Amino acid sequence: MNRMKLKAYAKINLGLDVIGKREDGYHEVRMIMQTVGIYDRICLTKRQESGIRIRTNLFYLPVDAENIVYRAASLMMEEYGIRGGIEIDLQKYIPVAAGLAGGSSDAAAVLYGMNRMYQLGLSLKELMGQGVKLGADVPYCLMRGTALSEGIGEKLTPLPAAPDCWVLLAKPPISVSTKFVYENLRVDELKEHPDIDGMKRAIQAKDLQGVMQKMGNVLETVTIPAYPIVAKIKEQIWESGALKVLMSGSGPTVFGLFDCWEKAQRGYESLRQTDISRQVYVTKFYQPKSAAV
């Protein structure tokens, strides 16, 4: 196999709690992760010449080791003695620096694809072990679906598929530094925490209303005061008839959950008429038929 086409799916956080800070500076988290149906397209092509070549549809993305897909390919080549080179055509559709794990998902796709192309025979668990070297979200992006994420995000427990609904995603024309958000989070001062265990039980019971009642994201306490536009988007999505509205990850993307396509579409049209969000999507939860990309 000399060429492979892949889809790298985005994720949202149905629940994001931070329970403490470790001695190494990382934060201990408990999250419910959910894959959604927007994705980047990646094409891997073997090359006789050595080295890694990246092409992308976004002029501002780096095409060297600053890009996580480059590091993913380099990791596989060095770890498993892959000869020759590889070309990565990365077509970005997931918003960048948006709290949707787009870069992590792209890296996961490269790990998965190179494992297949070069017949390395690595299991999903082994790939996830390599993925955590690149970022805490990469192992989940290999697993996908609905999952409990703990530790720094690398400890994953698969969950049954979350109850289906329509998802409206909106990213304002700003980017938010995850590092900034975590550095300014005051864990000891948090007054409310999402009920992650309660959400697990609601997912297992296929209780969509129960899931929504337990949702929450403690990082909103940092991102929203620093970037009030996030609150404006949340308010507009609420006004469109959403059942629940939440920021994903460290932001700034906001998502709303809807029980019907018509309401989600009205929310989409409403946001497109404003200047508070330039990237707006209507999609659904995505459940892979099997693990990995």
Side-chain angles (χ1 to χ4, degrees):
M1 186 184 300
N2 294 315
R3 197 163 182 259
M4 178 177 285
K5 293 182 178 180
L6 301 156
K7 295 177 180 178
Y9 286 85
K11 67 83 186 167
I12 57 175
N13 300 89
L14 297 179
L16 195 164
D17 195 14
V18 179
I19 58 178
K21 190 173 183 179
R22 309 190 324 180
E23 291 183 0
D24 61 7
Y26 286 97
H27 286 79
E28 288 277 346
V29 299
R30 297 192 80 222
M31 306 182 288
I32 301 292
M33 313 277 267
Q34 176 61 55
T35 311
V36 293
I38 63 171
Y39 52 84
D40 295 337
R41 292 183 177 272
I42 293 176
C43 181
L44 305 178
T45 306
K46 290 182 181 178
R47 300 173 60 240
Q48 291 185 346
E49 301 86 355
S50 62
I52 301 165
R53 178 186 297 173
I54 297 177
R55 296 188 301 172
T56 178
N57 60 327
L58 300 181
F59 71 90
Y60 53 83
L61 287 184
V63 292
D64 55 14
E66 292 296 311
N67 192 315
I68 193 172
V69 300
Y70 186 104
R71 298 197 298 276
S74 178
L75 173 66
M76 295 295 276
M77 296 177 83
E78 293 176 7
E79 196 80 12
Y80 301 102
I82 295 172
R83 296 180 179 179
I86 190 163
E87 181 174 280
I88 304 170
D89 185 0
L90 172 60
Q91 299 296 305
K92 289 289 297 181
Y93 303 103
I94 301 172
V96 176
L100 299 174
S104 295
S105 190
D106 296 338
V110 171
L111 296 180
Y112 173 82
M114 292 184 70
N115 183 45
R116 290 278 307 276
M117 285 179 67
Y118 293 98
Q119 299 180 337
L120 301 178
L122 301 174
S123 67
L124 175 62
K125 184 177 181 180
E126 289 171 321
L127 279 177
M128 290 166 67
Q130 296 295 346
V132 75
K133 299 175 183 178
L134 298 165
D137 280 343
V138 178
Y140 166 74
C141 292
L142 282 157
M143 176 187 286
R144 305 187 307 183
T146 311
L148 170 67
S149 172
E150 298 176 286
I152 63 170
E154 87 288 7
K155 298 177 183 177
L156 298 167
T157 303
L159 298 174
D164 202 13
C165 60
W166 290 94
V167 185
L168 173 63
L169 292 155
K171 179 187 179 292
I174 60 171
S175 295
V176 173
S177 164
T178 300
K179 181 180 179 182
F180 164 82
V181 174
Y182 275 99
E183 284 180 346
N184 287 276
L185 180 68
R186 303 292 178 259
V187 179
D188 296 338
E189 298 176 10
L190 293 173
K191 297 179 180 179
E192 295 184 5
H193 293 266
D195 184 355
I196 300 298
D197 290 326
M199 191 183 303
K200 279 177 55 183
R201 292 190 291 270
I203 288 172
Q204 291 163 344
K206 300 295 183 185
D207 177 7
L208 181 60
Q209 290 294 336
V211 171
M212 295 185 185
Q213 289 171 6
K214 307 299 184 184
M215 287 170 61
N217 181 350
V218 298
L219 300 186
E220 288 188 349
T221 62
V222 178
T223 304
I224 289 179
Y227 302 95
I229 193 172
V230 175
K232 291 181 181 179
I233 293 176
K234 287 190 69 176
E235 182 180 355
Q236 186 150 348
I237 295 178
W238 275 119
E239 291 173 354
S240 300
L243 300 174
K244 186 69 179 183
V245 185
L246 199 67
M247 185 182 77
S248 184
S250 56
T253 300
V254 174
F255 67 90
L257 303 184
F258 293 80
D259 57 4
C260 70
W261 178 85
E262 288 79 10
K263 292 179 183 177
Q265 187 64 20
R266 283 201 297 271
Y268 172 88
E269 297 295 344
S270 174
L271 282 166
R272 292 288 291 175
Q273 294 173 10
T274 72
D275 59 359
I276 62 174
S277 182
R278 295 176 182 172
Q279 293 174 282
V280 188
Y281 308 84
V282 175
T283 184
K284 301 191 82 173
F285 291 163
Y286 173 80
Q287 298 295 341
K289 295 179 181 178
S290 60
V293 187

